[in-house]
Amino acid sequence: MTLSGKVAVVTGAAGGIGRATARLLAERGAAVVAADRNPSVAETAELIRQAGGRVEAVVADCASDDGAQRITDQAIAAFGRLDILHANAGVSGPLIPDLATDSKDFAEILRINLIGPWLAITTALPHMQAGASIVCTASAAGLRAGAGGIPYSASKAGVINMVQTVAAALTGRGIRINAVAPGLIETPMTAPLYDAARRRGRGDRIGQLNPLQRGGEADEVAEAVAFLASDAASYINGQVLVIDGGLSSSLPFAPRPAGQ
Ligand SMILES: NC(=O)c1ccc[n+]([C@@H]2O[C@H](COP(=O)([O-])OP(=O)(O)OC[C@H]3O[C@@H](n4cnc5c(N)ncnc54)[C@H](O)[C@@H]3O)[C@@H](O)[C@H]2O)c1
């Protein structure tokens, strides 16, 4: 699964899943452009440099035309090519479905979570050759209700369909596009939820609804992204890889305690 000689752009790389992916892609040999609107993306770049990787940090709004173009331009200026895109930046918005959601708030979540990956894809594609790979971060919330607010879930369902439709639009070009759909992963995005559970002494309840009975780690998503980005996944295209401990694989049921 070596990525040596490849150049990767990772958006939303200041922390969480994006930081974990940027570090892993660099560890596997890719030169990485780590992008985020949060200036602490520089810390991600520093971690990669300290580990001997090649990296450029870009502070930009990935969901603006100008920001998306700047990120792609930086990859070409710094490393001369673009082989891997992990379109990952996103926001959660309210976690509870709220029928009174304001249309402006709804539109902003769609802008970042859906138009953002679209701009990352469309600015990257002119520089990509056959063999290139795009991975978008969707969510288990994009598959079913129960894992996020209404705009968030709709945006992630949109990402999944966009991945399928773009795969079709790329027919004949040899460029693959897939999505990862994480379940509950401990990152800055979910920190309030983890913190609240731990404050109430219920940290051990986190992730209990999935058969692995635990929450996931950003590194576990990064491994899947690195696989899909690599030539090892050369015949996997237009798919959604769900990384949720098995949560979405089952209808709800009341599990028996072990041994009964
Ligand atoms: N943590 C989970 O449980 C979980 C589950 C499913 C999907 N996801 C998705 O994974 C992705 C990464 O989230 P995370 O959990 O690592 O949380 P995170 O908050 O650590 O990462 C999201 C990053 O995106 C950046 N970002 C947001 N809007 C941006 C914009 N307009 N321009 C540039 N950067 C922007 C943020 O600054 C942040 O660094 C998101 O798309 C999220 O929806 C997360």
Side-chain angles (χ1 to χ4, degrees):
M1 270 223 284
T2 178
L3 299 175
S4 85
K6 295 190 190 269
V7 175
V9 164
V10 180
T11 71
I17 291 166
R19 175 177 284 182
T21 305
R23 294 182 73 180
L24 186 60
L25 297 182
E27 194 185 303
R28 301 250 161 102
V32 172
V33 171
D36 205 293
R37 66 181 174 183
N38 183 338
S40 64
V41 70
E43 290 165 25
T44 303
E46 194 46 39
L47 288 167
I48 291 172
R49 266 185 219 109
Q50 278 168 13
R54 291 199 300 155
V55 63
E56 289 280 321
V58 182
V59 178
D61 177 356
C62 310
S64 72
D65 294 277
D66 168 65
Q69 192 60 57
R70 220 152 38 78
I71 294 162
T72 297
D73 289 350
Q74 185 67 22
I76 302 305
F79 302 119
R81 54 185 292 146
L82 183 47
D83 307 279
I84 295 167
L85 167 65
H86 183 203
N88 166 76
V91 290
S92 69
L95 294 176
I96 308 295
D98 177 4
L99 290 171
T101 301
D102 182 78
S103 67
K104 284 200 184 62
D105 296 341
F106 205 127
E108 178 63 0
I109 291 173
L110 291 182
R111 184 185 79 86
I112 294 175
N113 290 4
L114 187 53
I115 308 293
W118 169 247
L119 292 174
I121 292 166
T122 50
T123 58
L125 276 175
H127 303 282
M128 288 182 146
Q129 314 293 329
S133 174
I134 300 169
V135 183
C136 295
T137 303
S139 170
L143 296 167
R144 291 188 180 83
I150 295 167
Y152 181 77
S153 302
S155 72
K156 294 300 187 177
V159 169
I160 290 169
N161 191 280
M162 182 167 71
V163 161
Q164 294 164 339
T165 311
V166 169
L170 287 171
T171 297
R173 290 186 55 179
I175 300 171
R176 297 180 298 107
I177 178 165
N178 292 285
V180 289
L184 182 62
I185 311 294
E186 186 166 13
T187 68
M189 181 179 280
T190 53
L193 199 148
Y194 274 79
D195 290 347
R198 285 172 182 148
R199 265 198 311 276
R200 293 199 308 268
R202 293 182 173 179
D204 58 345
R205 297 244 187 122
I206 292 168
Q208 289 304 297
L209 289 176
N210 75 62
L212 295 183
Q213 297 194 305
R214 64 175 178 83
E217 303 293 334
D219 287 342
E220 295 179 290
V221 181
E223 286 287 351
V225 175
F227 166 64
L228 290 171
S230 78
D231 296 341
S234 54
Y235 203 49
I236 302 178
N237 191 25
Q239 302 303 311
V240 187
L241 180 50
V242 184
I243 307 161
D244 67 353
L247 180 68
S248 61
S249 65
S250 175
L251 294 168
F253 75 111
R256 285 188 194 172
Q260 289 188 25

